[in-house]
Structure formats: structure tokens, C-alpha cells
Amino acid sequence: MKLVPSVLQLEGEMTAWRRHLHANPELGFEEFETARFVADKLRSWGIETVEGVGRTGVVGTLRGRLGPGESIGIRADMDALPMIEARNLPHASKVLGKMHGCGHDGHTTMLLGAAHALAHSPDFAGTVHFIFQPAEEGQGGAVAMLEDGLLERFPCDEVYALHNSERQLGEVVVHHTVVAAAADRFEIAVRGRGGHAAMPHLANDPLPIAARILLDIEALPGRLTNVHSPAIVTVGSFKGGEAFNTIPDVAVLTGTVRTFDPEVQSMIETAIKRIATAAAEGRGATVDINYERPFAPTINTPAQADIMARVATEVMGEERVTIDPPPEMGSEDFCFMLQQRPGCYFLLGQIDADHQAACHDTLYDFNDAILPMGASLWVRMVERRLAPRDTE
């Protein structure tokens, strides 16, 4: 590996920053102290800083000393998850029920490390915007920043982001097109008529109707979609009734749909609504369906993926770079920034003997060993992408 020397010198400080953030997690749109921490660091390095973008987001702007050029944005997410941490780490969460269970503390720290290195040696032509986004975990933080004029107030020709991954330590994964799935959410409320369990003929039980809907919609990917465009329908909760001898009025299913293709996404949404409506009406019940699309597919642009692959090869070595494996079934709201600008979202592996847990696991902890790797990748990407025209 050829990590940036100034970043390596900062490794101890970055580890301290990351563990401070981990111990003090904040949920989406509540990242007030996290945003203040980020903004104070950026300003202390002479970086123009704006707070309150998309409610609790922060953007730092740095112009290179080699003259004018293009403008790029690099995004890190800041929010934690509503989880109870299971590991008794020295830097474990101090806030019961809140935990950095997805590594956003590490993403924020890596971008801060890159900002520090670039601020002290801005050897590039053009502008870089360091975008610290709130509320990535399903609350619409990227959309909030975009609606607050992110790309108009801080013009970016291209946008980039990374995420830690359950790949081996230091492995960089770059996709040229689809990286991650769309993640839809649905709630299906079947409304029948409650009654006594001993007299079901006087009721209209919503539970068997909801059970039939569950079985039918989870079978959709195997019968409705092409095997070359995979999809997943998962019901995550089934709620109805409170007593063993009572038929409830309502049964509620909630779940998620994961797809890579917008056409398949729409096809499954239509089918779920059709199946649920028909099942309820066929039994004299009614159904209320709430269907949301908080995450679109995350799709890179090939040119920017090529740039990131070259930088990763330079910094990490060719043997640690994986190109175009099957996309992830997880989702990412950076997808909405990629809908507005060309860019690349890539993965950086963090698995070693002490870090085996996956994201969103109560045993998860970000691997501090990849902090200088991620920061070095950002520094070299800025220097290479914003090199003066006559030296490219």
C-alpha cells in the first residue's frame, strides 16, 4: 500500500476522533453535536464551512492552490442507529438505545482526515466540497440536503462516497454501474371485523387474509421477475390481536422490497397492491396500503468508477482492488446525489480477526485500521482528479 504520509501521521488523532463519535452517537436529524464537532475541525484548518444544510448537514469548501478547475463533492454520513450496543468496548456508546452500528462514525472521520491533509497541502486545481450528510438511515438526509440547494450552493461536477464493507481488510470494491439495491417500504393493513374466538362466524378474521397476502407477495420474485434482474420481498412484521381468544379487527404487515431495476421495482409495487386488494375484497374485508420508496438503486457512472479504480490501484495495490462483483442488496441514499451528478460510490473492506460483525449488528464496531486507507483514497482522488490540465 502507498498511503499518504500526512494521513499516516494523523492516524492516532483520527482514531481518537472516531472513538469520540462512536461514544456519542446521534440519530438522523439529531446530529447537533456531531455537526458541531465536524464544523469546528474544518474551521480550525481554514476550510470555509457552512452548517445547517439539510437541517443538520455540514459542508466544507476548499479551493486548490494550483488555480481554477472542476469541482467535486465527497460525502460522508453522520447518523447512528436506534440500537443497543452489545460489546463492552472502552469507547462504547454512552447513550442507551443509540449506536454507531453502520460505521458512519468512521466515514465521517476518514473524510475529516482527508480534509485535514488537503487543507495543509492543497496541491490541486479546482474545488472540493466535503459533504457531511445527516440522516442516511432511511430518513431522507440526502434528499433534505438536495432540497436545501446542496448542488446549487456548492456546485459539484462529480460526487463520490464510500462505505465500509464485510470484505477483507483493505479490499476496495468498485462497480461501474449498479452498486446497491433500491429499498422500498410497505405497510398493509387488513381491516376485517373482530369478535369472540368461539364465534368466528360472527366475525371477519383479518389474520388468515393477511397470512395469505404474506405468502403470495413473498413468492413474487420467483414468479414475476426475470432471474437476471433479482428482487427480494420480505415481510418483517406481522401484527394482529392481543388475546388468545379474540379475533382482531385489523392485521398489519410491514416489509421491504429490494430491486436493482426501476422497471422491476414498479412491477413488484403494482403486484403487491393488486394481490393485497384482491385478497381482502375476496373475503369481504378492506385493505389500506402505504408504499414508500426511500431508496432508489445506487448506480455509478462508468467514467467516475474508472477514476476511482485507478486511484484505488495506486493507493492500495492492484491485488486489493475488485471490479464489478455482483451488486449489494443493501441500499444507500447517496443514490439521489448520483441521480443529480456523475459519480462513484465504492466499498472498503474492514474484516479482520477482531472485526467480524456486519453492519447493523449489535456486535459491530468500525475497524480503525481502515481510517488512513479511506482518507488516503480521498486525498489521492482529489489530487489526481483535480490535477492541472497540463499535467493530466
Side-chain angles (χ1 to χ4, degrees), residues 129-142:
H129 298 294
F130 305 104
I131 301 168
F132 295 87
Q133 180 202 307
E136 190 279 330
E137 294 288 354
Q139 293 177 275

Side-chain angles (χ1 to χ4, degrees), residues 74-110:
I74 308 174
R75 189 224 66 170
D77 33 20
M78 300 189 294
D79 56 321
L81 286 159
M83 299 168 59
I84 297 177
E85 190 161 7
R87 293 178 67 182
N88 187 25
L89 299 165
H91 54 277
S93 173
K94 298 177 183 177
V95 187
L96 184 64
K98 299 179 184 180
M99 172 192 171
H100 268 294
C102 199
H104 296 184
D105 49 346
H107 302 164
T108 295
T109 299
M110 288 188 283

